[in-house]
Amino acid sequence: MRSGFAGLAGLVTLALASTAMAQPAVRWSNVVGVITAQGVDNPVADIDSGTFAWSAERGHARVNLSNGATAFEVEGLVINGTAFSGTAGPVTQVEGTLVCNAGEGAEAVLDTAPVPLSSQGDAEFSGVIPGIPSRCSNPLFLIRIVNPAGALGRWIATGVDRTTSSARSASSESDSDR
């Protein structure tokens, strides 16, 4: 009887430990354009800013840090000023970028697959970011240029208003809650 109790206690301990190790889901309830002077870089991840000032009408992003499930949407991500003002200009493809452990030695920069950016600045992605590290603290979400190739990797928008939730509650959240 004693060994049965010890076995049960071990299983309960293991279950609690695995629940505690599950990473949360992260949500950014808005996306804003990068309105900076040209050549001002993201202070972490060594990522250059876009070639122009950008603004976004609205957007959001979510990443489940446990399984990599990722979705983002941005509307009205357009250039401010220049001959391209109010449009996406020559930028026709973007990617979402998750930065884990920002500013630390274990920093990781992980990208989604590229998606089209309309001339009105609309883009959306739903899929998986593979390879999220087991510890992803202080996560950042960026939107970066894929095409044209001359601006590859420059960030033009970022997720703001970050919240986290447990992986369990995030996975049970319905699509209408996103």
Side-chain angles (χ1 to χ4, degrees):
M1 191 74 148
R2 233 174 148 80
S3 64
F5 179 73
L8 179 60
L11 286 175
V12 170
T13 302
L14 180 60
L16 291 175
S18 65
T19 301
M21 292 183 342
Q23 292 201 76
V26 183
R27 177 180 169 86
W28 294 266
S29 61
N30 199 7
V31 171
V32 297
V34 177
I35 300 179
T36 60
Q38 292 180 14
V40 174
D41 298 333
N42 188 319
V44 297
D46 249 354
I47 298 173
D48 296 331
S49 65
T51 54
F52 306 109
W54 290 77
S55 63
E57 189 176 316
R58 71 176 66 82
H60 59 89
R62 354 177 340 99
V63 178
N64 183 314
L65 299 176
S66 294
N67 64 18
T70 301
F72 77 84
E73 180 177 14
V74 64
E75 295 178 18
L77 179 58
V78 295
I79 296 168
N80 294 311
T82 80
F84 303 116
S85 191
T87 73
V91 178
T92 59
Q93 262 188 328
V94 295
E95 64 192 357
T97 298
L98 174 68
V99 180
C100 289
N101 311 314
E104 299 178 16
E107 185 174 271
V109 178
L110 307 155
D111 299 321
T112 67
V115 294
L117 180 67
S118 75
S119 61
Q120 296 81 26
D122 301 340
E124 63 182 290
F125 172 85
S126 182
V128 174
I129 293 178
I132 296 175
S134 60
R135 186 180 74 80
C136 182
S137 64
N138 192 29
L140 305 176
F141 190 84
L142 309 174
I143 295 178
R144 300 196 304 164
I145 297 171
V146 173
N147 191 27
L152 177 66
R154 292 183 173 273
W155 69 296
I156 57 175
T158 187
V160 295
D161 303 327
R162 181 179 71 192
T163 57
T164 59
S165 62
S166 71
R168 175 176 288 172
S169 65
S171 65
S172 64
E173 190 175 292
S174 72
D175 286 345
S176 65
D177 292 336
R178 292 180 187 172

